Amino acid sequence: MVIAKGLNFSLLGGEISAIIGINGIGKSTLLRTVGKVQPKLSGTIYLNDKNLKDYNALELASKISVVLTEPLASKNLTVLELISLGRQPYTNWIGKLSNKDKAKIQEAIAMVELAELQYKKCHELSDGQLQRVMIARALAQDTAIILLDEPTSHLDLHHKVRILKLLKSIAHKTNKTILFTSHEIEMAIQLCDKILVLNKEVHDFGKPNELIQKSAFEKLFPIDTVSFDPSTGSFKIKK
């Protein structure tokens, strides 16, 4: 089944980008396809000028880390143990962590401010804390690209903002490419370097101000229900 066609966009290091659109438009499907979690129907995806299909699983695991919405297999792991799993692409066959692996894990813990929680069990954490742990695991994997599916789902406003500001800081400070799917369109407009607007027929990609000028956000919802105010970058409910 074709969900979207005619897509053409590129991502750069040091930028955070979002995929937005209405429910069921294909945001998660596109993200999973970019990460080679599921196969594409047609077209070509390039990573560093090399066709994505030519990367084997181990090579790709050192290039792209993926944070999906699936529940954890076991929440009985400690925070430290879960973050340590990010080093699997680099460990030997018995999974022994080297000093470099341990250093990368502690760097990730520090970056996401989880030092005080690292020995807690994951089932003891709040949703916001667990989301930070999943981001830290992706950071410990030390890939140039991080893909996240709905990283702010089930969080309150404060924690949504905290997570997205953290991701923006990581992209800008570490020169990583971060791409995430989101329903938080107004937050994406304020915090992202680039946005891909998925629509049924026409898809727009670019800087938020460029998309506002192109009236890309006005096309997302029925005009008799919600309108977009380009002067404030926000949506208003039609009463």
Side-chain angles (χ1 to χ4, degrees):
M1 176 181 177
V2 176
I3 294 177
K5 58 184 179 180
L7 287 165
N8 185 12
F9 65 99
S10 57
L11 305 171
L12 301 174
E15 291 186 346
I16 180 169
S17 302
I19 303 170
I20 66 162
I22 62 173
N23 286 344
I25 200 67
K27 298 184 297 294
S28 296
T29 299
L30 175 59
L31 187 89
R32 293 166 67 93
T33 303
V34 170
K36 207 180 174 183
V37 177
Q38 67 183 63
K40 58 183 174 55
L41 296 182
S42 65
T44 308
I45 302 170
Y46 290 101
L47 172 57
N48 296 334
D49 298 321
K50 179 179 175 180
N51 197 315
L52 191 69
K53 71 179 180 61
D54 295 330
Y55 285 88
N56 62 42
L58 190 60
E59 287 175 327
L60 204 59
S62 67
K63 304 290 184 185
I64 301 176
S65 50
V66 183
V67 181
L68 300 176
T69 54
E70 281 86 350
L72 290 175
S74 173
K75 285 193 175 182
N76 205 39
L77 294 172
T78 65
V79 168
L80 179 60
E81 288 169 339
L82 180 56
I83 294 172
S84 298
L85 291 177
R87 297 304 298 170
Q88 279 188 328
Y90 311 100
T91 56
N92 57 29
W93 66 276
I94 58 173
K96 183 176 175 60
L97 296 171
S98 67
N99 289 334
K100 180 181 178 181
D101 294 323
K102 293 175 183 177
K104 290 292 183 183
I105 291 164
Q106 288 304 317
E107 281 178 22
I109 287 172
M111 195 176 296
V112 188
E113 299 178 356
L114 288 170
E116 295 182 359
L117 298 176
Q118 61 181 309
Y119 299 112
K120 275 185 170 286
K121 297 283 189 179
C122 288
H123 66 75
E124 300 177 292
L125 305 180
S126 68
D127 288 340
Q129 289 170 333
L130 186 58
Q131 193 62 277
R132 283 161 56 206
V133 173
M134 300 304 291
I135 291 169
R137 185 180 71 173
L139 288 172
Q141 196 172 330
D142 196 27
T143 58
I145 301 170
I146 301 176
L147 308 177
L148 305 102
D149 191 19
E150 295 286 352
T152 59
S153 60
H154 310 303
L155 302 183
D156 60 31
L157 180 60
H158 165 70
H159 287 97
K160 288 178 192 290
V161 173
R162 187 177 182 189
I163 290 293
L164 293 185
K165 288 182 72 174
L166 171 64
L167 292 172
K168 180 176 182 177
S169 174
I170 290 168
H172 290 184
K173 289 181 178 179
T174 65
N175 202 43
K176 293 184 184 297
T177 301
I178 295 181
L179 177 67
F180 68 98
T181 62
S182 182
H183 289 97
E184 311 298 336
I185 301 173
E186 293 178 13
M187 288 187 194
I189 290 171
Q190 293 182 60
L191 293 171
C192 288
D193 298 300
K194 305 278 180 59
I195 296 175
L196 173 64
V197 182
L198 280 188
N199 228 315
K200 290 183 178 179
E201 297 177 0
V202 179
H203 315 294
D204 293 297
F205 178 75
K207 297 177 181 178
N209 63 321
E210 295 171 344
L211 296 174
I212 290 173
Q213 291 172 4
K214 291 174 64 176
S215 301
F217 301 109
E218 280 91 327
K219 306 169 189 173
L220 283 172
F221 304 107
I223 58 174
D224 60 339
T225 306
V226 179
S227 64
F228 181 76
D229 184 349
S231 64
T232 60
S234 61
F235 290 91
K236 294 185 177 180
I237 299 171
K238 288 286 188 71
K239 296 181 181 179

